[in-house]
Amino acid sequence: MTIRVLLADDQALLRSAFRVLVDSEPDMEVVGEAADGAQAAALARTERPDVVLMDIRMPGTDGLAATRMITTDPELAGVRIVMLTTFEIDEYVVESLRAGASGFLGKGAEPEELLGAIRIAHAGEALLSPAATKGLIATFLAQSTAGPAGAGVDAERLSALTAREREVLVLVGGGLSNDEIAERLDVSPLTVKTHVNRTMAKLGARDRAQLVVTAYETGLVRPRGE
């Protein structure tokens, strides 16, 4: 299966470089290019890409707004978004995850990292690298959701989960892969995948990245040091 990729960046030279890289892979093809968020959202509707490489900062409609436009469209439920940012330590990264992005990557990433990110997002996995940035995401989420006001809502969101699904959610939030969770719980990776998929369905999560966000927002997982 060929992964269909949409490029959204206001720098034409960078888009060209990304196109050459992506089109050089036998399992990928670029299906469109956009210079701003509005074009990206429009092309997502017409081309139905599997993955969008979205610059977080663009003139006019930025990547964050475009991500919301795409992820709130029921017809584009299968589209995965990887945010590209010049500065990985950026509060907008957190907002992009909340908006439905599958993760983010710095523009200085190596070519293999970029190609890997596309494949990871296409597979429905969370792309929250480098690992150090997870702590930043966790901190922002904890700061913005701290306090008792959301406690009732959080309890309601989690009430549909079984004890095992909560346990799996905590481990997903901790950044563990299915294989690592399987080893921790002494079950098969297939069983873990089933629990993850059921948890996603119950919480209305688009992908694994959204489970990570939920784990922090509901307080199931706390930033290190708390």
Side-chain angles (χ1 to χ4, degrees):
M1 172 186 268
T2 301
I3 303 174
R4 296 165 53 81
V5 181
L6 173 63
L7 307 175
D9 196 296
D10 60 314
Q11 299 181 47
L13 187 60
L14 195 56
R15 292 199 311 272
S16 297
F18 285 158
R19 175 181 279 276
V20 170
L21 178 64
V22 172
D23 280 343
S24 69
E25 294 298 293
D27 61 336
M28 299 181 190
E29 67 172 331
V30 173
V31 296
E33 296 183 27
D36 60 39
Q39 291 180 6
L43 282 172
R45 295 188 184 99
T46 58
E47 300 299 331
R48 301 299 172 92
D50 297 306
V51 177
V52 180
L53 291 182
M54 182 85 74
D55 186 9
I56 202 166
R57 291 192 178 103
M58 291 183 285
T61 303
D62 64 14
L64 186 58
T67 295
R68 291 196 184 99
M69 293 166 68
I70 292 171
T71 59
T72 56
D73 188 335
E75 295 186 1
L76 301 178
V79 178
R80 300 288 178 255
I81 300 175
V82 175
M83 303 300 291
L84 298 174
T85 175
T86 303
F87 305 101
E88 293 188 34
I89 300 179
D90 192 334
E91 188 169 0
Y92 285 116
V93 168
V94 180
E95 295 306 316
S96 70
L97 293 175
R98 279 209 178 103
S102 295
F104 65 94
L105 197 67
K107 286 188 176 180
E110 294 295 325
E112 286 306 315
E113 288 183 276
L114 182 66
L115 296 173
I118 293 172
R119 294 187 177 99
I120 289 171
H122 181 246
E125 298 293 324
L127 179 67
L128 304 175
S129 60
T133 315
K134 287 184 180 179
L136 176 73
I137 292 171
T139 300
F140 278 133
L141 288 173
Q143 289 174 348
S144 60
T145 59
V153 176
D154 291 344
E156 184 177 347
R157 290 173 68 186
L158 297 176
S159 63
L161 302 183
T162 65
R164 177 61 91 182
E165 287 165 352
R166 286 195 186 209
E167 191 174 11
V168 169
L169 178 57
V170 169
L171 297 175
V172 169
L176 275 66
S177 67
N178 282 0
D179 287 344
E180 291 169 332
I181 295 173
E183 184 176 353
R184 181 77 63 89
L185 300 180
D186 195 24
V187 297
S188 72
L190 182 58
T191 297
V192 173
K193 183 177 181 180
T194 298
H195 286 312
V196 169
N197 288 340
R198 287 177 178 170
T199 302
M200 286 172 54
K202 289 181 179 180
L203 295 177
R206 285 171 56 89
D207 55 26
R208 199 181 187 93
Q210 300 308 299
L211 290 185
V212 175
V213 172
T214 299
Y216 282 110
E217 286 185 328
T218 57
L220 282 180
V221 176
R222 298 286 184 180
R224 291 181 180 179
E226 283 196 0

